[in-house]
């Protein structure tokens, strides 16, 4: 499986924008868009949970070429906590309730805009990985924290 790349991120951004989907890049794909030097096999999206947003997301995913089953479409429309899609042009994880982040609205207020990409703040990416507590996340946390400190020193005023 090839790594998720910038062109695919652009396709996601553009299709979701055309359909008015409210979402944030999260996880390693979000960190990479912020400049984190790594690769990932999929994109992770934190999606606002509402029936209208879910229906718009289903339309956008189908436009992108995802062959959603009826069950997957229903899961997306209803905002199931986690929906993993491997039946499209790339792998995509949809997260409606990420570990470590209480409300989408709070993360939205803290978001970072990178060339039109709505991305979770590095603190939210780290909080989510800490709360998930998976082995691969624990291994990447020291590098993510160092990146966050570097990023903050170059992007936020004192």
């Amino acid at each position: 499986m090839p790594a998720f790349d910038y062109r695919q991120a652009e396709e996601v951004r553009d299709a979701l924008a055309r359909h008015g989907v409210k979402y944030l890049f999260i996880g390693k794909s979000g960190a990479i868009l912020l400049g984190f030097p790594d690769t990932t096999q999929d994109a992770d999206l934190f999606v606002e949970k509402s029936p209208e947003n879910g229906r718009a997301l289903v339309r956008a995913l189908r436009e992108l070429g995802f062959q959603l089953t009826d069950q997957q479409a229903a899961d997306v429309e209803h905002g199931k906590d986690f929906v993993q899609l491997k039946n499209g042009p790339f792998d995509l994880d949809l997260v409606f309730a990420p570990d470590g982040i209480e409300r989408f609205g709070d993360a939205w207020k803290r978001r970072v805009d990178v060339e039109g990409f709505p991305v979770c703040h590095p603190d939210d990416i780290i909080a989510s990985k800490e709360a998930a507590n998976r082995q691969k996340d624990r291994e990447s946390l020291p590098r993510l924290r160092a990146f966050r400190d570097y990023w903050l020193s170059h992007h936020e005023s004192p």
Side-chain angles (χ1 to χ4, degrees):
M1 164 72 50
F4 184 76
D5 64 31
Y6 189 81
R7 178 189 53 79
Q8 292 164 330
E10 287 179 316
E11 290 172 8
V12 168
R13 176 197 64 200
D14 296 348
L16 273 59
R18 281 191 295 276
H19 291 274
V21 178
K22 196 164 185 182
Y23 73 98
L24 296 161
F25 278 90
I26 193 171
K28 201 181 278 187
S29 59
I32 290 167
L33 288 169
L34 293 171
F36 184 61
D38 208 337
T39 61
T40 187
Q41 300 305 308
D42 60 10
D44 302 304
L45 302 181
F46 178 13
V47 184
E48 182 180 52
K49 186 175 181 173
S50 75
E52 303 81 26
N53 202 48
R55 286 189 291 275
L57 179 55
V58 166
R59 289 189 299 272
L61 291 169
R62 288 187 168 139
E63 178 184 312
L64 284 164
F66 284 89
Q67 303 299 313
L68 300 179
T69 65
D70 291 343
Q71 184 61 55
Q72 287 173 322
D75 288 346
V76 170
E77 287 182 21
H78 293 104
K80 182 180 176 187
D81 286 357
F82 180 77
V83 179
Q84 190 172 51
L85 301 176
K86 294 185 175 286
N87 51 357
F90 44 83
D91 292 350
L92 189 61
D93 292 345
L94 306 174
V95 188
F96 291 88
D99 295 324
I101 303 174
E102 293 212 17
R103 290 187 304 273
F104 181 87
D106 294 338
W108 182 258
K109 289 177 193 167
R110 295 185 294 265
R111 77 187 180 281
V112 179
D113 181 77
V114 180
E115 297 177 12
F117 296 101
V119 181
C120 278
H121 190 280
D123 288 337
D124 286 331
I125 293 171
I126 289 169
S128 177
K129 291 205 170 282
E130 286 172 338
N133 200 30
R134 298 176 302 184
Q135 178 64 30
K136 68 179 187 174
D137 294 331
R138 288 192 303 270
E139 291 169 359
S140 68
L141 277 168
R143 289 182 61 235
L144 276 169
R145 288 184 189 112
F147 171 75
R148 182 230 9 236
D149 294 345
Y150 169 83
W151 187 89
L152 287 173
S153 72
H154 288 79
H155 291 89
E156 294 190 353
S157 54

